Amino acid sequence: MAIIPNHLSVLDYIQEFKKLIFSSSFNIKNNSSPSPIFSISCEVEPIDPLIFISVLQTDKQPVFYWQNQRKKEAIAAIGAIKSLNIDKNICQQDKDIDRFQKCQEFINNNQKLIHILNKDQDNYQPHFFTYFRFFEQSHNFDNKSFPLATIFLPFIQLIKKDNKYSVTINTYNQNKKEILDYLKDNFSEKIELNYKVNYSQENKINSHLENAKYQGFIDKVNKGLEAIKSEKLTKIVVAHALEIKTENKFNIVKSLENLRNNHPDCYIFSIGNEDQEYFIGASPERLLSIKDNQLVSDALAGSAPRGKNEDEDFLIGNNLLDSEKEKREHQAVSNFIFNQLSAMGLQPKKASLQLLKLSNIQHLWTPIYAEIKEEINPLEIVRQLHPTPAVAGVPIEVACQEIETSEKFDRSLYAAPIGWLDLQGNCEFIVGIRSALIKENYARLYAGAGIVTGSKPEQELTEIKLKFQALLQALI
Ligand SMILES: C=C(O[C@H]1C=CC=C(C(=O)O)[C@@H]1O)C(=O)O
């Protein structure tokens, strides 16, 4: 029996649909209950994932969005039918807790409960969404912010691949027809008709909370150079936080749209938690992707600005490729990824060193490939790869200790893994750089730069200013 009465207005339709998928009447409150979860997928007409989120998101629900224009891919997920948050207290009780392993166990336990009701939609499987803080233990923790690790299976997910769009609903309600009726009834159009654009409000920066903004960064670079000179380490990635307050609340959707327009070669991402706190950004760095057992990881380090014209750009790119100092900074990353994958029994292969040209900056880039022959948990690989020397340094442990003492702010999710995993062992993780933590009218923007022997504080400052500028342009 079709459940949608003919008289439903477009607005009612959305309310009814939200009630159906988020409603507690079908939800078993106890998270440990082994109740079966039914997963229903359906191809839908094209819909902008940002509009999808804006219309369907309700308060107190986590959201996950990412989009890569160059790859013609996007994912959006809302709500959590199952979730696990690993917070600081759990780790204080049990020091040996491995947050990556716990998340993998969460997947293993829950995937047994998932019944895929329409197997014909093979390409569109339910995904788990997950993200981590940079540090497992840190005295800089801001308690109210995101937990050490989060993983969830959403109530609803949209996937765009090339020009195909699909919606997956995970529910305790096994009435597949009822849900499919909604999805097949001009779903995308009805969502779009409900979208209210809120672009009118101008926003202005009220105050820069951090007055001695950049001197602190120069000091940290000099401290890093001293540690390198004393042979404590050979590389350190020094990050800086720029805190701003604006007159009005940040418009997250508008900011993401700006990021998407300005950075078509990056992964644009947004994670929102139940407290309406967001972590958003435009990252060029893929930590890991696995598709049909083929693994790819990007070593990305060594930077230069883009030229004002083609000739200048070509020259700057060539200088970057020839720079002994930039190559050293880069190789620390490619060697680390190569060695970590080898230590796991994989046989990685490095592609040749190349340039990744983004709209505002260019990087040295080495893609690294490996075939996964035996069963290795994707999250175990993530654990082995995080943090890379592109965001920490060499040796990793010493660099992390230095970072902790010299940085006075909470890195939170900055420079840490963000990603999804499906039920067939495919996954994709990015590194959460070029990012900002936002709540209402407050934002903390993050940018970092790798320091090795020969690094010049003023040049590193120019690099992080370039990174901040790109974010600020999108946020305000
Ligand atoms: C740590 C950041 O970038 C890393 C990734 C690529 C290039 C980098 C560099 O050249 O310093 C950094 O290692 C950041 O943007 O916050």
Side-chain angles (χ1 to χ4, degrees), residues 13 109 125 130 132 163 321 353 373 435 452 463:
Y13 172 95
N109 293 338
Q125 300 260 334
T130 182
F132 300 84
N163 292 320
L321 279 169
L353 180 65
K373 291 197 179 118
S435 48
V452 292
E463 182 178 323

Coordinates of all heavy atoms in Angstrom, one line a residue, residues 13 109 125 130 132 163 321 353 373 435 452 463:
Y13 N 5.5 16.6 2.6 CA 6.2 15.4 2.0 C 7.5 15.3 2.7 O 7.9 14.2 3.2 CB 6.4 15.6 0.5 CG 7.2 14.5 -0.1 CD1 6.7 13.4 -0.7 CD2 8.6 14.7 -0.2 CE1 7.4 12.5 -1.3 CE2 9.4 13.7 -0.8 CZ 8.8 12.6 -1.4 OH 9.6 11.7 -1.9
N109 N 31.0 -5.8 13.9 CA 29.8 -6.2 14.6 C 28.5 -5.8 13.9 O 27.5 -6.5 13.9 CB 29.8 -5.6 16.1 CG 30.9 -6.2 16.9 OD1 31.4 -7.3 16.6 ND2 31.4 -5.5 17.9
Q125 N 26.1 0.7 -1.8 CA 26.0 0.0 -0.5 C 26.0 0.9 0.6 O 26.5 2.0 0.5 CB 27.2 -0.9 -0.4 CG 27.3 -1.9 -1.5 CD 26.8 -3.3 -1.1 OE1 26.8 -3.6 0.1 NE2 26.3 -4.1 -2.1
T130 N 33.6 7.9 9.3 CA 34.5 7.9 10.5 C 35.5 9.1 10.5 O 35.9 9.5 9.4 CB 35.2 6.6 10.7 OG1 35.9 6.6 11.9 CG2 36.0 6.2 9.5
F132 N 38.7 11.1 13.1 CA 39.6 10.9 14.3 C 40.2 12.3 14.7 O 40.4 13.1 13.8 CB 40.7 9.9 14.0 CG 40.2 8.6 13.6 CD1 39.9 8.3 12.3 CD2 40.1 7.6 14.6 CE1 39.4 7.0 12.0 CE2 39.6 6.3 14.3 CZ 39.3 6.0 13.0
N163 N 27.6 10.7 -13.2 CA 26.3 11.4 -13.2 C 25.2 10.6 -12.6 O 24.0 11.0 -12.8 CB 26.0 11.9 -14.6 CG 27.0 12.9 -15.0 OD1 27.5 13.8 -14.2 ND2 27.5 12.8 -16.3
L321 N 60.4 21.3 -8.3 CA 60.8 19.9 -8.6 C 62.3 19.7 -8.5 O 62.8 18.6 -8.2 CB 60.4 19.5 -10.1 CG 59.0 19.1 -10.3 CD1 58.7 19.0 -11.8 CD2 58.7 17.7 -9.7
L353 N 58.0 11.3 -9.1 CA 57.6 12.5 -8.5 C 57.0 13.5 -9.5 O 57.5 13.7 -10.6 CB 58.9 13.2 -7.9 CG 58.8 14.5 -7.2 CD1 58.0 14.4 -5.9 CD2 60.2 15.1 -6.9
K373 N 46.4 -8.2 -1.1 CA 46.1 -9.6 -1.5 C 45.5 -10.4 -0.3 O 44.6 -11.1 -0.5 CB 47.4 -10.3 -1.9 CG 47.9 -9.8 -3.2 CD 48.9 -10.7 -3.8 CE 49.4 -10.2 -5.1 NZ 50.9 -9.9 -5.1
S435 N 41.7 23.5 6.8 CA 40.4 23.3 7.5 C 40.1 24.3 8.6 O 41.0 25.0 9.0 CB 40.4 21.9 8.0 OG 41.6 21.6 8.8
V452 N 62.3 21.7 7.5 CA 63.5 20.9 7.5 C 64.7 21.8 7.5 O 64.6 23.1 7.4 CB 63.6 20.0 6.2 CG1 62.5 18.9 6.2 CG2 63.5 20.9 4.9
E463 N 53.7 30.8 3.2 CA 53.0 29.6 2.9 C 51.7 29.4 3.7 O 50.6 29.2 3.2 CB 53.8 28.4 3.0 CG 53.2 27.1 2.6 CD 54.1 25.8 2.7 OE1 55.3 26.0 2.5 OE2 53.5 24.8 3.1

